[in-house]
Amino acid sequence: VSYPTEFYIRAHNQLNQPINVGGENFQVTIQAPSGERWNPLVDDPYTGTYTVRYTPREPGMHSIHVELLT
């Protein structure tokens, strides 16, 4: 049985200071143990903290890759 889960991305600038506005273009890729990949939606409430929600598609260790597209 898979349960929905979520994690947060907190944006910082080059000086490692928090960015308190949204608008950054993050792309998230999740890879299941079988190798299947998908891109969950990244919710941007324009606070500098982005929420990624997904439901694992199979049991086991999943890899998560977060990329800031410029």
Side-chain angles (χ1 to χ4, degrees):
V1 175
S2 293
Y3 297 98
T5 190
E6 64 185 33
F7 66 91
Y8 303 94
I9 301 168
R10 183 69 179 114
H12 288 76
N13 66 19
Q14 295 170 336
L15 301 175
N16 202 30
Q17 299 166 327
I19 298 173
N20 296 320
V21 296
E24 301 296 334
N25 189 12
F26 287 101
Q27 179 178 328
V28 176
T29 303
I30 299 176
Q31 181 173 344
S34 66
E36 176 189 11
R37 295 175 186 237
W38 72 96
N39 300 99
L41 294 177
V42 179
D43 181 44
D44 181 1
Y46 292 92
T47 63
T49 300
Y50 302 76
T51 304
V52 180
R53 292 180 181 90
Y54 70 99
T55 300
R57 298 182 177 181
E58 59 189 73
M61 181 82 64
H62 287 65
S63 298
I64 299 174
H65 177 78
V66 177
E67 183 177 8
L68 174 60
L69 304 176
T70 55

